[in-house]
C-alpha cells in the first residue's frame, strides 16, 4: 500500500524532494493514494488543544514528509474522466 511504499522514501534523508509520476490508470491510483495519505495523516495529526509533545512531534514529522512531495505528474491520464 501507500504507506509501505511512500513512507520509507519520504523518511529517507537522502531524498530532499520527491516527485511522483503516474501513467494511465496508475495516475488515478496515485492521486487516490496521495489524497488518502494527506487526509488520513492530516486528520490523525491535526493540531489539537492539549496535544502531547509526542503528538506534536508526530504531526511535525508528517508535515515534513508531506512537504517533500513536490509534484504529481501524470501522462496518458484518465483523471478528467473520473470526476
Amino acid at each position: 500500500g501507500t504507506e509501505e511504499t511512500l513512507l520509507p522514501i519520504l523518511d529517507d534523508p537522502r531524498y530532499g524532494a520527491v516527485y511522483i509520476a503516474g501513467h494511465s490508470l496508475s495516475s488515478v491510483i496515485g492521486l487516490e493514494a496521495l489524497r488518502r495519505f494527506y487526509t488520513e495523516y492530516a486528520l490523525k495529526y491535526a493540531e489539537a488543544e492539549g496535544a502531547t509533545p509526542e503528538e506534536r512531534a508526530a504531526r511535525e514529522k508528517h508535515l515534513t514528509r508531506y512537504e517533500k512531495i513536490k509534484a504529481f505528474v501524470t501522462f496518458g491520464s484518465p483523471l478528467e474522466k473520473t470526476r
Side-chain angles (χ1 to χ4, degrees), residues 49-64:
E49 291 288 326
T52 66
E54 293 81 14
E55 291 167 334
R56 290 183 193 277
R59 180 177 187 272
E60 288 303 314
K61 182 176 182 177
H62 173 66
L63 291 175
T64 300

Side-chain angles (χ1 to χ4, degrees), residues 2 34 44 49 51 56 68 77:
T2 303
L34 286 173
K44 184 175 181 180
E49 291 288 326
R56 290 183 193 277
K68 278 188 172 183
S77 173

Side-chain angles (χ1 to χ4, degrees), residues 8-18 68:
I9 294 168
L10 294 174
D11 287 339
D12 192 323
R14 295 177 297 171
Y15 303 109
V18 175
K68 278 188 172 183

